[in-house]
Each structure stands twice: as structure tokens, then as C-alpha cells.
Amino acid sequence: MKKVVVLLVCAVVLLVGDKSGIESSFDAKKAYEQGEAFYNNKEYDEAAELFKKACDGGKMSGCYNLGVMYKKVTGVEKNEQKAVELYKKACDGGKMLGCTNLGFMYANGNGVEKDLGKAAELFKKACDGGNMLGCYNLGLIYANGEGVEKDFSKAAQLFKKACDGGDMLGCVKLGIMYANGDGVEKDLGKAAELYKKACDGGEMLGCVKLGIMYADGDGVEKNEQKAAELYKKACDGGNMHGCRNLVVMYTNGNGVEKD
């Protein structure tokens, strides 16, 4: 069974932390801003303390960031139950990324009993609240039939919403739906467009998928040189599938000089 994957992101602002600048009394917003500064400077103990004060003062981003620290073991001892509590508080307080991360915890049984139905509810809340990562993960749940009845059409709609909202993995998944004709009418040209959008948007898996289409001449005119360029971009961007495919091109001399 495919694991639902979610990006755990802690917002970072390029500020300069100064321990002497912490006041004895301050509002939640200032505590959060100072916490970001310390986090950015890798002064995690101070950041955790300030995020907690921000959270206690009603700043939900403070709760969320502190939850990320407990999950990622950054400046605090790993405590997934504590991360769950903080994500829940952030979610209940209107921080939709907190709902997404809480959904991830339920989907994988981290800090709570595994419950894919509950994960789906939380991803839906996040998606409805404008968090595109929630839409993407809910799309995965419908595509895989985990916690909900399998529904490719619903999955495609959610991936489209995520893609339109700037989530490039959503574009890749929607491209795959078009390439396979799952939940939408099969359209290789449309798949290529979506992979290009994702690649241009920094999602290296989109570059790999588009490279495969150029290598095979599916949905686009066959162009092995273009395929090699896309694999190189993906490889340089950290996608190992791109590196592997580029190796094959050099081995066979497809699109590049044999080497």
C-alpha cells in the first residue's frame, strides 16, 4: 500500500536572532517572529521556547512550527504525540497546514492510531481551507482507495485543484492520470503539458516524466536530445531517476555522444 506523503515545512524568514533582544513580556506575534529568527540561525532551543510562547498566546503558526520540531527532532526530543497535539491545536485554530500534517500523522500512525478515514477528513478540511498540499494528499487517498472508496475521477479533480493552486506534485499526478486515462479521458498531449508545468515549476519528477515522453515519442515528437536535457535537469535537481535514465542515454548514445 502506497504511503501518503506530505511535505513537513517550517516557515523560515531571513532575520537575525539576538538573544539580548528577547523581552520579558511580549505578544504572541513578536514571540513567533523572534522564534523564526532563532530557527533560521539554527538556535533551535531558543526557537522552540519562543514558538511555545507564541502558541500559548494564540499564534497558531507557533503551534504548527513547534509541532514540526517535535516531529523532525529539531531542538527538542522527538515526541510524535506532542507533535499531534500541536498540529491539532493549529488545525483547530485555522492553520490549514496543521490539518494536513495531522492528516499525515493519522495516515501513517505516527503518534496516533492509524486511521485513514480520519486522515481523509483532515486532508479535506485542509483542502477546503485552501491548503493545496491537503488537496494533493486527499487525491492520493481517493486514487489508492485508502480510507475512502476508490474514485479516480475525484482524485483527478483534487490533483487539478492542487496543480492549479501551485502544488507541482499535483500537476505530475494529474499528468499521470491523463497518461493512463484514469478518471479522465486519456490524453498524452495534456499529460506532457502538465509534466512541463511541473518541471518548469521545480518538481523534478515532472522533468523525468516529460523526458520519458520525448524519449519514446509519446504525446510529443520524439526528441532524444531533449529527453537527455530533461533527465540532466532532473538529475542535477536531485531526482535519482533522472540520473539513472541519463546513464542509459550515455550508455547507448541516445541524444548524447556515447560515453
Side-chain angles (χ1 to χ4, degrees):
M1 180 176 66
K2 294 182 180 178
K3 182 180 287 187
V4 175
V5 179
V6 68
L7 221 31
L8 298 179
V9 181
C10 182
V12 176
V13 175
L14 297 177
L15 301 172
V16 177
D18 180 1
K19 294 179 184 178
S20 65
I22 302 178
E23 302 173 3
S24 58
S25 61
F26 43 75
D27 62 23
K29 181 180 178 183
K30 186 169 184 179
Y32 174 72
E33 291 172 350
Q34 290 180 329
E36 283 188 319
F38 282 114
Y39 188 95
N40 200 47
N41 290 337
K42 302 188 187 316
E43 298 177 75
Y44 298 124
D45 291 341
E46 292 83 355
E49 180 183 345
L50 285 158
F51 286 148
K52 184 180 185 306
K53 289 181 178 179
C55 179
D56 291 343
K59 182 71 173 175
M60 294 301 102
S61 292
C63 305
Y64 170 77
N65 281 7
L66 186 57
V68 171
M69 294 182 78
Y70 275 108
K71 181 68 174 68
K72 292 176 66 179
V73 199
T74 308
V76 292
E77 186 176 347
K78 184 172 184 176
N79 188 329
E80 291 184 331
Q81 290 81 11
K82 187 68 176 175
V84 165
E85 292 173 10
L86 288 159
Y87 289 152
K88 184 179 186 306
K89 183 172 181 179
C91 177
D92 292 344
K95 179 73 174 178
M96 293 298 102
L97 195 51
C99 304
T100 295
N101 281 15
L102 185 58
F104 171 75
M105 302 296 271
Y106 274 102
N108 294 289
N110 299 135
V112 290
E113 187 175 348
K114 187 171 182 175
D115 186 337
L116 290 167
K118 180 68 175 176
E121 291 176 13
L122 287 159
F123 291 146
K124 183 179 187 305
K125 180 176 180 179
C127 180
D128 291 344
N131 182 262
M132 296 302 103
L133 197 53
C135 302
Y136 170 76
N137 280 289
L138 185 58
L140 285 180
I141 280 185
Y142 274 105
N144 297 329
E146 298 173 336
V148 297
E149 187 175 347
K150 194 168 189 174
D151 188 335
F152 282 134
S153 179
K154 182 70 174 175
Q157 292 170 20
L158 287 160
F159 291 143
K160 183 180 188 305
K161 182 174 181 178
C163 178
D164 291 345
D167 187 293
M168 294 299 103
L169 262 179
C171 301
V172 172
K173 291 299 291 187
L174 185 58
I176 293 171
M177 304 290 275
Y178 273 104
N180 297 330
D182 293 328
V184 292
E185 187 175 347
K186 187 170 182 176
D187 186 335
L188 292 174
K190 182 68 174 177
E193 290 176 14
L194 287 160
Y195 294 151
K196 184 179 187 304
K197 179 177 180 178
C199 180
D200 291 345
E203 177 48 60
M204 296 300 102
L205 182 57
C207 304
V208 172
K209 291 287 188 182
L210 185 58
I212 292 171
M213 297 192 83
Y214 274 106
D216 296 339
D218 289 333
V220 294
E221 186 176 349
K222 187 169 182 174
N223 186 332
E224 291 182 330
Q225 183 177 348
K226 181 69 173 176
E229 291 171 1
L230 287 160
Y231 293 150
K232 184 180 186 304
K233 179 176 180 179
C235 180
D236 291 345
N239 186 292
M240 296 301 102
H241 292 291
C243 302
R244 181 194 64 191
N245 289 4
L246 189 56
V247 165
V248 174
M249 303 293 275
Y250 274 106
T251 300
N252 298 325
N254 298 132
V256 292
E257 186 175 347
K258 189 171 183 176
D259 187 345

